[in-house]
Amino acid sequence: MSRTEAPPLPEPLRVPVADSHTHLDMQDATVEEALARAAAVNVTAVVQVGCDVAGSRWAAETAAAHPAVHASVALHPNEAPRIVHGDPEGTARQGAREPGGKAALDDALAEIDALAALGHVRGVGETGLDFFRTGPEGIAAQEESFRAHIEIAKRHGKALVIHDRDAHADVLRVLADAGAPERTVFHCYSGDADMAEICARAGYFMSFAGNMTFKNAQPLRDALAVAPTELVLVETDAPFLTPAPYRGRPNAPYLIPVTLRAMAAVKGLDEDTLAAAIYDNTARAFDF
C-alpha cells in the first residue's frame, strides 16, 4: 500500500460529529470534495484553522462560502519568530523571508484582529508556544504573539485555540497570567493525565487527534481517560497525525470516526454517546 494513497472511508458514524481542527488548504482534495467525504461518514462540521495571515484570510473566506466550515484565524507560534527575525533558509511553506522586526509582527497581528471580528470566524488560533522547532532566540516573539492572540480572542468573544508543543508549563503560566478567554481549546492535546486535571479545573477544552491511537501514546490515552467528557473534542489536524492503522498516510476530516472509536474505547463509552457529546462540546466551544 502506497504511503501517499488516501485511506479508505471508515464505517459512517450513526451520530453527527465535528472535526475541531483541520487544514483544508494543505490537503489534496478540494474543499467540496473534503466536505462531501466527511459528510458521507457523518462528520458534518469542521473548524478550518489558519497559521499565518494568508491562511487565515483563506479560512475566513472558506467559512463564509461553506456553512459546514467554521474559521479560526491566527499566526502559528512558529510564524511569529519568522516574521520578527526572518527565515533565510525558507523552512516554512511560505519560503524564505527577510526580518521584519516588531513592526511587522504588529502589522500581522492587526490583520488577525480584523479577521477575528468577522461573524463567521469562530476562533483565534492556533496560537501558543512551540519549543520544539523554535530556539531560545524566538521565544520572546512567540510569547508576545501568544499574549496578543489571547487579548484578540477576549476582545471579540471568540474561542482561543492553543498549539502547545514541549511548552506545557509556560503555556499554562501565560494563560493564568494573562487571563484565559471564556472558551479555550488545547488543540492536539499533548499533555499527561496530571495536566488534563489542571485543564479540567480551569474549564479548558482538550481536543484529541489521531496520535492518541499510536502505540507509544499511552500518556495521551491516560489523559483522555481522566478528561471530563464535557470538555473533550476530536480533531484530525489533517493532513497530519493520521490515526492507526493508517499512520503516515494523508489525513482528512473523513477519518474522524477512526479516532473517535478509539477514544470511545478509552472512555468506556459507546460511540454514539461520545459522538453526540463531542458535537455538543465543539458547538459550545466555537459558538456555532
Side-chain angles (χ1 to χ4, degrees):
M1 189 69 66
S2 169
R3 301 285 281 181
T4 60
E5 185 177 341
L9 264 68
E11 180 182 348
L13 296 165
R14 291 180 292 270
V15 174
V17 78
D19 180 351
S20 77
H21 193 112
T22 195
H23 301 284
L24 296 171
D25 51 332
M26 302 181 194
Q27 298 167 38
D28 289 336
T30 65
V31 172
E32 292 76 14
E33 289 167 344
L35 294 177
R37 289 175 194 163
V41 296
N42 229 353
V43 178
T44 60
V46 304
V47 179
Q48 166 63 26
V49 179
C51 293
D52 55 26
V53 169
S56 294
R57 286 191 197 120
W58 190 90
E61 292 165 1
T62 302
H66 299 277
V69 179
H70 307 283
S72 188
V73 299
L75 308 177
H76 189 282
N78 292 327
E79 177 73 356
R82 283 196 289 265
I83 291 172
V84 174
H85 300 296
D87 185 9
E89 302 300 321
T91 52
R93 291 183 305 126
Q94 303 93 329
R97 67 172 65 174
E98 295 296 318
K102 186 178 184 306
L105 180 59
D106 289 344
D107 288 346
L109 288 167
E111 293 213 42
I112 298 301
D113 188 28
L115 289 168
L118 299 172
H120 49 276
V121 171
R122 304 294 186 171
V124 173
E126 55 187 286
T127 181
L129 300 172
D130 186 325
F131 296 167
F132 179 74
R133 286 200 171 87
T134 297
E137 70 285 349
I139 299 306
Q142 280 197 359
E143 183 164 330
E144 178 182 351
S145 178
F146 184 21
R147 287 177 180 271
H149 282 81
I150 291 171
E151 294 310 310
I152 291 169
K154 289 194 288 191
R155 181 159 55 250
H156 298 292
K158 303 298 170 78
L160 181 72
V161 179
I162 291 177
H163 171 107
D164 163 27
R165 189 164 187 185
D166 294 352
H168 305 320
D170 286 283
V171 166
L172 292 171
R173 169 184 59 80
V174 172
L175 285 174
D177 180 57
E182 181 180 346
R183 291 168 288 120
T184 295
V185 177
F186 273 77
H187 131 69
C188 189
Y189 181 83
S190 59
D192 59 11
D194 289 342
M195 181 173 161
E197 291 177 344
I198 294 170
C199 290
R201 287 194 296 271
Y204 301 152
F205 291 94
M206 290 163 270
S207 183
F208 290 84
N211 57 336
M212 63 78 53
T213 68
F214 297 172
K215 288 182 179 179
N216 64 351
Q218 191 58 45
L220 290 182
R221 292 186 284 274
D222 293 342
L224 174 59
V226 304
T229 301
E230 65 270 18
L231 292 175
V232 169
L233 310 180
V234 66
E235 66 174 86
T236 55
D237 197 23
F240 314 107
L241 300 179
T242 312
Y246 307 113
R247 184 177 183 179
R249 292 166 66 181
N251 201 2
Y254 74 83
L255 290 173
I256 280 285
V258 179
T259 301
L260 185 135
R261 289 177 175 126
M263 291 171 64
V266 170
K267 296 295 284 180
L269 297 171
D270 68 81
E271 66 180 64
D272 294 359
T273 299
L274 185 59
I278 285 179
Y279 188 92
D280 288 347
N281 296 345
T282 312
R284 183 160 45 93
F286 289 97
D287 192 26
F288 63 76

